[in-house]
Amino acid sequence: MSATVIDGKSVAAQVVEQVTSHTTKLISETGIVPGIAVVIVGEDPASQVYVRSKGKRAVECGFHSVTHKLAEDTDENTLLNLINELNNDEVIHGILVQLPLPDHIEEGKIIQAVSPDKDVDGFHFINVGKLGTGEIATAFVPCTPAGSMVLLKQALGKQDFSGLNAVVVGRSNIVGKPIANLLLAANATVTIAHSRTKDLPELTKTADILIAAVGRPEMIKGNWVKPGAVVIDVGINRIDAPEKGEGKTRLVGDVAYDECAEAASAITPVPGGVGPMTIAMLMATTLIAACRKAGIEPPTF
Ligand code: GUN
Protein backbone atom coordinates (compact mmCIF):
# COMPACT_ATOMS: atom_id res chain seq x y z
CA MET A 1 0.00 0.00 0.00
CA SER A 2 1.18 3.51 -0.66
CA ALA A 3 -0.41 6.17 1.48
CA THR A 4 -2.44 9.19 0.47
CA VAL A 5 -0.51 12.28 1.53
CA ILE A 6 -2.68 14.46 3.77
CA ASP A 7 -2.21 18.02 2.54
CA GLY A 8 -2.27 20.14 5.70
CA LYS A 9 -1.34 23.27 3.80
CA SER A 10 -4.41 23.07 1.62
CA VAL A 11 -6.78 22.19 4.51
CA ALA A 12 -5.27 25.05 6.57
CA ALA A 13 -5.90 27.45 3.67
CA GLN A 14 -9.56 26.33 3.61
CA VAL A 15 -9.87 26.94 7.37
CA VAL A 16 -8.33 30.41 7.03
CA GLU A 17 -10.71 31.18 4.16
CA GLN A 18 -13.68 30.11 6.30
CA VAL A 19 -12.40 32.24 9.22
CA THR A 20 -11.91 35.25 6.93
CA SER A 21 -15.39 35.08 5.45
CA HIS A 22 -17.01 34.66 8.90
CA THR A 23 -14.95 37.58 10.20
CA THR A 24 -16.15 39.81 7.36
CA LYS A 25 -19.74 38.83 8.22
CA LEU A 26 -19.20 39.38 11.98
CA ILE A 27 -17.73 42.83 11.38
CA SER A 28 -20.46 43.91 8.97
CA GLU A 29 -23.29 42.61 11.20
CA THR A 30 -22.00 43.63 14.65
CA GLY A 31 -18.99 45.90 14.20
CA ILE A 32 -16.98 43.46 16.32
CA VAL A 33 -13.45 42.84 15.07
CA PRO A 34 -11.86 39.65 16.50
CA GLY A 35 -8.74 40.69 18.40
CA ILE A 36 -5.71 38.57 19.23
CA ALA A 37 -2.71 39.40 21.42
CA VAL A 38 0.43 37.30 21.12
CA VAL A 39 3.09 37.69 23.81
CA ILE A 40 6.66 36.53 23.38
CA VAL A 41 9.44 36.78 25.93
CA GLY A 42 13.04 36.48 24.75
CA GLU A 43 14.76 35.80 21.47
CA ASP A 44 14.24 32.08 20.75
CA PRO A 45 14.54 32.04 16.92
CA ALA A 46 11.91 29.32 16.30
CA SER A 47 9.41 31.10 18.58
CA GLN A 48 10.09 34.40 16.78
CA VAL A 49 9.23 32.75 13.45
CA TYR A 50 5.99 31.24 14.85
CA VAL A 51 4.91 34.53 16.42
CA ARG A 52 5.54 36.48 13.20
CA SER A 53 3.46 33.93 11.25
CA LYS A 54 0.62 34.14 13.78
CA GLY A 55 0.51 37.95 13.52
CA LYS A 56 0.61 37.85 9.72
CA ARG A 57 -2.17 35.26 9.46
CA ALA A 58 -4.35 37.20 11.93
CA VAL A 59 -4.13 40.33 9.76
CA GLU A 60 -5.00 38.23 6.68
CA CYS A 61 -8.13 37.01 8.49
CA GLY A 62 -9.20 40.62 9.13
CA PHE A 63 -8.42 40.51 12.87
CA HIS A 64 -7.09 43.21 15.13
CA SER A 65 -3.66 41.80 15.97
CA VAL A 66 -1.10 42.93 18.53
CA THR A 67 2.24 41.37 19.37
CA HIS A 68 4.02 42.14 22.64
CA LYS A 69 7.73 41.40 22.44
CA LEU A 70 9.33 41.40 25.86
CA ALA A 71 13.03 41.17 26.67
CA GLU A 72 14.52 37.85 27.88
CA ASP A 73 15.12 39.32 31.36
CA THR A 74 11.50 40.50 31.83
CA ASP A 75 10.39 39.62 35.36
CA GLU A 76 7.34 37.51 36.14
CA ASN A 77 5.35 40.39 37.61
CA THR A 78 5.77 42.53 34.50
CA LEU A 79 4.43 39.66 32.41
CA LEU A 80 1.55 39.05 34.84
CA ASN A 81 0.66 42.76 34.70
CA LEU A 82 0.58 42.67 30.90
CA ILE A 83 -1.69 39.59 30.95
CA ASN A 84 -3.97 41.35 33.40
CA GLU A 85 -4.20 44.37 31.08
CA LEU A 86 -5.01 42.11 28.11
CA ASN A 87 -7.60 40.20 30.17
CA ASN A 88 -9.36 43.54 30.73
CA ASP A 89 -8.92 44.89 27.20
CA GLU A 90 -12.30 44.88 25.42
CA VAL A 91 -10.82 44.70 21.92
CA ILE A 92 -8.80 41.55 22.68
CA HIS A 93 -10.68 38.23 22.46
CA GLY A 94 -7.75 35.83 22.41
CA ILE A 95 -4.44 35.83 24.31
CA LEU A 96 -1.51 33.54 23.50
CA VAL A 97 1.72 33.54 25.47
CA GLN A 98 4.32 31.79 23.33
CA LEU A 99 6.07 28.89 25.07
CA PRO A 100 8.68 28.07 26.18
CA LEU A 101 9.22 30.97 28.57
CA PRO A 102 12.63 31.80 30.05
CA ASP A 103 13.56 29.63 33.07
CA HIS A 104 13.09 32.40 35.65
CA ILE A 105 9.36 32.63 34.79
CA GLU A 106 6.99 29.99 36.16
CA GLU A 107 5.11 28.79 33.09
CA GLY A 108 2.16 27.34 35.03
CA LYS A 109 1.54 30.61 36.83
CA ILE A 110 1.45 32.52 33.54
CA ILE A 111 -0.87 30.02 31.85
CA GLN A 112 -3.35 30.19 34.75
CA ALA A 113 -3.24 34.01 34.72
CA VAL A 114 -4.83 34.19 31.26
CA SER A 115 -8.60 34.59 31.49
CA PRO A 116 -10.22 31.23 30.57
CA ASP A 117 -12.55 33.15 28.21
CA LYS A 118 -9.54 34.44 26.24
CA ASP A 119 -7.36 31.33 26.54
CA VAL A 120 -7.16 30.48 22.83
CA ASP A 121 -4.35 28.01 23.59
CA GLY A 122 -6.75 25.96 25.72
CA PHE A 123 -4.12 25.50 28.42
CA HIS A 124 -6.02 26.97 31.40
CA PHE A 125 -7.31 24.42 33.97
CA ILE A 126 -10.90 25.45 33.15
CA ASN A 127 -10.48 24.60 29.47
CA VAL A 128 -8.46 21.44 30.18
CA GLY A 129 -11.23 20.35 32.56
CA LYS A 130 -13.97 21.08 30.03
CA LEU A 131 -12.18 19.07 27.36
CA GLY A 132 -11.60 16.20 29.81
CA THR A 133 -15.28 16.09 30.77
CA GLY A 134 -16.54 16.33 27.19
CA GLU A 135 -17.72 19.97 27.44
CA ILE A 136 -16.04 20.67 24.12
CA ALA A 137 -18.73 23.03 22.83
CA THR A 138 -17.81 25.64 25.45
CA ALA A 139 -14.08 24.84 25.84
CA PHE A 140 -11.11 26.23 24.01
CA VAL A 141 -9.24 23.30 22.51
CA PRO A 142 -5.44 23.48 21.97
CA CYS A 143 -4.70 24.34 18.35
CA THR A 144 -2.41 21.49 17.30
CA PRO A 145 -4.72 18.72 18.54
CA ALA A 146 -7.75 20.54 17.07
CA GLY A 147 -5.98 20.79 13.69
CA SER A 148 -4.94 17.14 13.82
CA MET A 149 -8.57 16.14 14.36
CA VAL A 150 -9.70 18.15 11.33
CA LEU A 151 -7.14 16.30 9.18
CA LEU A 152 -8.06 12.95 10.67
CA LYS A 153 -11.80 13.41 10.10
CA GLN A 154 -11.17 14.39 6.49
CA ALA A 155 -8.79 11.45 5.91
CA LEU A 156 -11.23 8.94 7.43
CA GLY A 157 -14.24 10.61 5.78
CA LYS A 158 -16.21 10.53 9.04
CA GLN A 159 -16.71 12.31 12.35
CA ASP A 160 -17.34 9.20 14.44
CA PHE A 161 -14.46 6.84 15.17
CA SER A 162 -16.50 4.09 16.84
CA GLY A 163 -14.70 0.75 16.68
CA LEU A 164 -11.33 2.28 15.75
CA ASN A 165 -8.21 1.87 17.89
CA ALA A 166 -6.19 5.05 18.34
CA VAL A 167 -2.69 5.05 19.81
CA VAL A 168 -1.21 8.40 20.84
CA VAL A 169 2.55 8.28 21.33
CA GLY A 170 3.41 11.14 23.70
CA ARG A 171 1.67 12.47 26.81
CA SER A 172 2.37 16.21 26.74
CA ASN A 173 -0.21 18.70 27.99
CA ILE A 174 0.01 20.58 24.67
CA VAL A 175 -0.62 17.64 22.33
CA GLY A 176 -0.75 14.07 23.68
CA LYS A 177 -3.33 14.45 26.45
CA PRO A 178 -5.71 16.84 24.63
CA ILE A 179 -5.68 14.81 21.42
CA ALA A 180 -6.42 11.65 23.41
CA ASN A 181 -9.46 13.41 24.87
CA LEU A 182 -10.62 14.58 21.43
CA LEU A 183 -10.26 11.05 20.04
CA LEU A 184 -12.22 9.69 22.98
CA ALA A 185 -14.93 12.29 22.38
CA ALA A 186 -15.09 10.99 18.77
CA ASN A 187 -15.69 7.46 20.20
CA ALA A 188 -12.26 6.00 19.34
CA THR A 189 -10.72 3.46 21.72
CA VAL A 190 -7.68 5.34 22.94
CA THR A 191 -4.30 4.30 24.35
CA ILE A 192 -1.66 6.84 25.37
CA ALA A 193 1.89 5.51 25.05
CA HIS A 194 5.05 7.22 26.32
CA SER A 195 8.70 6.67 27.15
CA ARG A 196 7.87 4.09 29.88
CA THR A 197 5.55 2.02 27.68
CA LYS A 198 6.55 -1.64 27.18
CA ASP A 199 6.73 -3.12 23.65
CA LEU A 200 5.81 0.13 21.92
CA PRO A 201 6.05 -1.29 18.35
CA GLU A 202 3.60 -4.08 19.30
CA LEU A 203 1.19 -1.49 20.64
CA THR A 204 1.42 0.92 17.70
CA LYS A 205 0.72 -2.03 15.35
CA THR A 206 -2.77 -2.25 16.87
CA ALA A 207 -3.57 1.34 15.87
CA ASP A 208 -6.05 2.21 13.13
CA ILE A 209 -5.17 5.80 14.01
CA LEU A 210 -1.58 6.49 15.02
CA ILE A 211 -0.64 9.88 16.45
CA ALA A 212 3.08 10.58 16.86
CA ALA A 213 3.77 13.41 19.30
CA VAL A 214 7.00 12.57 21.07
CA GLY A 215 9.52 15.03 19.64
CA ARG A 216 11.99 12.31 18.62
CA PRO A 217 13.08 12.45 15.00
CA GLU A 218 11.85 9.52 12.86
CA MET A 219 11.28 7.27 15.89
CA ILE A 220 8.21 5.46 14.53
CA LYS A 221 9.36 2.90 11.95
CA GLY A 222 7.47 1.39 9.02
CA ASN A 223 7.07 -2.01 10.71
CA TRP A 224 5.41 -0.34 13.72
CA VAL A 225 2.45 0.70 11.55
CA LYS A 226 -0.65 -1.44 10.96
CA PRO A 227 -1.34 -1.79 7.22
CA GLY A 228 -4.01 0.74 6.26
CA ALA A 229 -3.61 2.91 9.39
CA VAL A 230 -3.97 6.69 9.27
CA VAL A 231 -0.78 8.27 10.61
CA ILE A 232 -0.70 11.83 12.00
CA ASP A 233 2.82 13.10 12.62
CA VAL A 234 2.84 16.03 15.04
CA GLY A 235 6.64 16.10 15.41
CA ILE A 236 8.74 18.92 13.98
CA ASN A 237 12.42 18.15 14.50
CA ARG A 238 15.37 19.89 12.91
CA ILE A 239 18.20 17.46 12.12
CA ASP A 240 21.59 17.75 10.44
CA ALA A 241 21.48 17.23 6.68
CA PRO A 242 25.11 16.88 5.52
CA GLU A 243 23.79 15.60 2.16
CA LYS A 244 22.56 19.19 1.51
CA GLY A 245 25.98 20.65 2.29
CA GLU A 246 28.07 21.47 5.31
CA GLY A 247 26.11 22.89 8.25
CA LYS A 248 22.73 22.36 6.53
CA THR A 249 19.68 21.05 8.34
CA ARG A 250 16.22 19.73 7.43
CA LEU A 251 12.89 19.19 9.18
CA VAL A 252 11.61 15.71 9.92
CA GLY A 253 8.70 14.39 11.94
CA ASP A 254 8.53 11.74 14.66
CA VAL A 255 7.71 9.22 11.93
CA ALA A 256 10.15 7.63 9.46
CA TYR A 257 8.06 8.98 6.60
CA ASP A 258 8.98 6.87 3.56
CA GLU A 259 8.70 3.50 5.30
CA CYS A 260 5.53 4.43 7.22
CA ALA A 261 3.92 5.72 4.01
CA GLU A 262 4.37 2.21 2.59
CA ALA A 263 2.15 0.74 5.29
CA ALA A 264 -0.33 3.56 6.00
CA SER A 265 -3.47 4.40 4.03
CA ALA A 266 -2.97 8.12 4.73
CA ILE A 267 -0.15 10.08 6.36
CA THR A 268 0.76 13.68 7.14
CA PRO A 269 4.10 14.91 5.77
CA VAL A 270 6.58 17.11 7.67
CA PRO A 271 6.62 19.93 6.78
CA GLY A 272 3.18 20.58 5.27
CA GLY A 273 0.98 18.35 7.44
CA VAL A 274 -0.08 19.26 10.97
CA GLY A 275 2.19 22.35 11.14
CA PRO A 276 0.10 24.69 8.96
CA MET A 277 -3.07 23.58 10.77
CA THR A 278 -1.86 24.90 14.13
CA ILE A 279 -1.93 28.57 13.12
CA ALA A 280 -5.13 28.11 11.11
CA MET A 281 -6.87 26.66 14.18
CA LEU A 282 -5.56 29.52 16.33
CA MET A 283 -7.39 31.88 13.97
CA ALA A 284 -10.51 29.71 14.16
CA THR A 285 -10.36 29.68 17.98
CA THR A 286 -9.93 33.47 18.15
CA LEU A 287 -12.99 33.93 15.93
CA ILE A 288 -14.91 31.52 18.20
CA ALA A 289 -13.82 33.58 21.24
CA ALA A 290 -15.10 36.78 19.62
CA CYS A 291 -18.43 35.16 18.69
CA ARG A 292 -18.91 33.79 22.24
CA LYS A 293 -18.20 37.21 23.73
CA ALA A 294 -20.81 38.72 21.39
CA GLY A 295 -23.36 36.00 22.22
CA ILE A 296 -23.35 34.78 18.62
CA GLU A 297 -23.31 31.09 17.64
CA PRO A 298 -19.71 30.46 16.48
CA PRO A 299 -18.93 28.51 13.30
CA THR A 300 -17.63 24.94 13.60
CA PHE A 301 -14.39 23.74 12.04
N1 GUN B 1 5.01 26.65 21.70
C1 GUN B 1 4.94 25.53 20.94
N2 GUN B 1 3.66 25.20 20.69
C2 GUN B 1 2.90 26.12 21.32
C3 GUN B 1 1.49 26.32 21.40
O1 GUN B 1 0.67 25.56 20.88
N3 GUN B 1 1.10 27.40 22.13
C4 GUN B 1 1.99 28.24 22.73
N4 GUN B 1 1.51 29.25 23.43
N5 GUN B 1 3.30 28.08 22.65
C5 GUN B 1 3.75 27.03 21.94
Side-chain angles (χ1 to χ4, degrees):
M1 183 173 294
S2 192
T4 300
V5 181
I6 300 171
D7 185 352
K9 234 172 134 171
S10 145
V11 180
Q14 288 165 29
V15 170
V16 168
E17 206 178 295
Q18 198 188 339
V19 171
T20 308
S21 73
H22 268 92
T23 299
T24 307
K25 196 162 156 262
L26 182 71
I27 296 171
S28 73
E29 288 177 1
T30 67
I32 294 164
V33 182
I36 181 166
V38 177
V39 181
I40 178 167
V41 186
E43 302 294 330
D44 178 64
S47 293
Q48 298 271 348
V49 172
Y50 289 134
V51 165
R52 251 198 314 277
S53 305
K54 286 167 186 170
K56 205 170 136 233
R57 194 69 82 245
V59 170
E60 281 169 23
C61 288
F63 293 0
H64 166 62
S65 166
V66 291
T67 302
H68 291 269
K69 291 186 179 175
L70 305 184
E72 177 82 26
D73 62 358
T74 299
D75 64 43
E76 200 172 85
N77 272 337
T78 305
L79 182 55
L80 287 169
N81 285 338
L82 172 61
I83 292 171
N84 192 36
E85 270 173 38
L86 295 169
N87 282 342
N88 292 310
D89 188 338
E90 289 289 317
V91 301
I92 296 298
H93 303 96
I95 301 169
L96 181 141
V97 182
Q98 186 67 28
L99 305 177
L101 289 166
D103 289 344
H104 66 276
I105 297 177
E106 203 184 317
E107 219 158 76
K109 205 162 158 185
I110 300 302
I111 289 169
Q112 301 313 321
V114 174
S115 163
D117 299 333
K118 297 191 177 187
D119 170 37
V120 283
D121 254 330
F123 294 165
H124 192 283
F125 290 149
I126 296 262
N127 287 309
V128 174
K130 283 185 174 183
L131 177 58
T133 51
E135 286 284 324
I136 298 174
T138 65
F140 288 118
V141 175
C143 300
T144 302
S148 301
M149 287 300 285
V150 171
L151 296 181
L152 206 43
K153 286 176 176 174
Q154 284 207 6
L156 287 162
K158 55 186 173 187
Q159 305 281 318
D160 189 318
F161 300 165
S162 294
L164 296 179
N165 290 333
V167 174
V168 179
V169 187
R171 55 173 159 177
S172 71
N173 291 334
I174 295 183
V175 182
K177 287 177 199 160
I179 206 165
N181 272 320
L182 289 169
L183 287 161
L184 198 55
N187 296 322
T189 301
V190 185
T191 308
I192 305 180
H194 47 78
S195 55
R196 308 291 172 90
T197 298
K198 211 168 101 181
D199 295 336
L200 182 58
E202 285 308 309
L203 180 65
T204 57
K205 264 187 279 185
T206 66
D208 303 300
I209 296 166
L210 180 57
I211 312 285
V214 259
R216 295 183 60 181
E218 300 176 320
M219 187 183 98
I220 311 276
K221 306 301 180 199
N223 60 2
W224 298 22
V225 176
K226 178 179 178 177
V230 176
V231 177
I232 303 288
D233 190 352
V234 182
I236 301 178
N237 311 288
R238 193 165 282 287
I239 61 166
D240 290 337
E243 72 280 4
K244 286 170 68 181
E246 206 189 307
K248 297 284 185 194
T249 60
R250 67 190 171 96
L251 289 180
V252 296
D254 292 347
V255 158
Y257 182 82
D258 289 340
E259 34 185 284
C260 290
E262 285 297 309
S265 63
I267 187 166
T268 56
V270 176
V274 173
M277 289 302 288
T278 298
I279 294 183
M281 295 314 288
L282 175 64
M283 301 303 123
T285 308
T286 304
L287 172 63
I288 290 168
C291 289
R292 284 185 190 161
K293 171 91 190 302
I296 292 168
E297 185 69 25
T300 52
F301 294 90

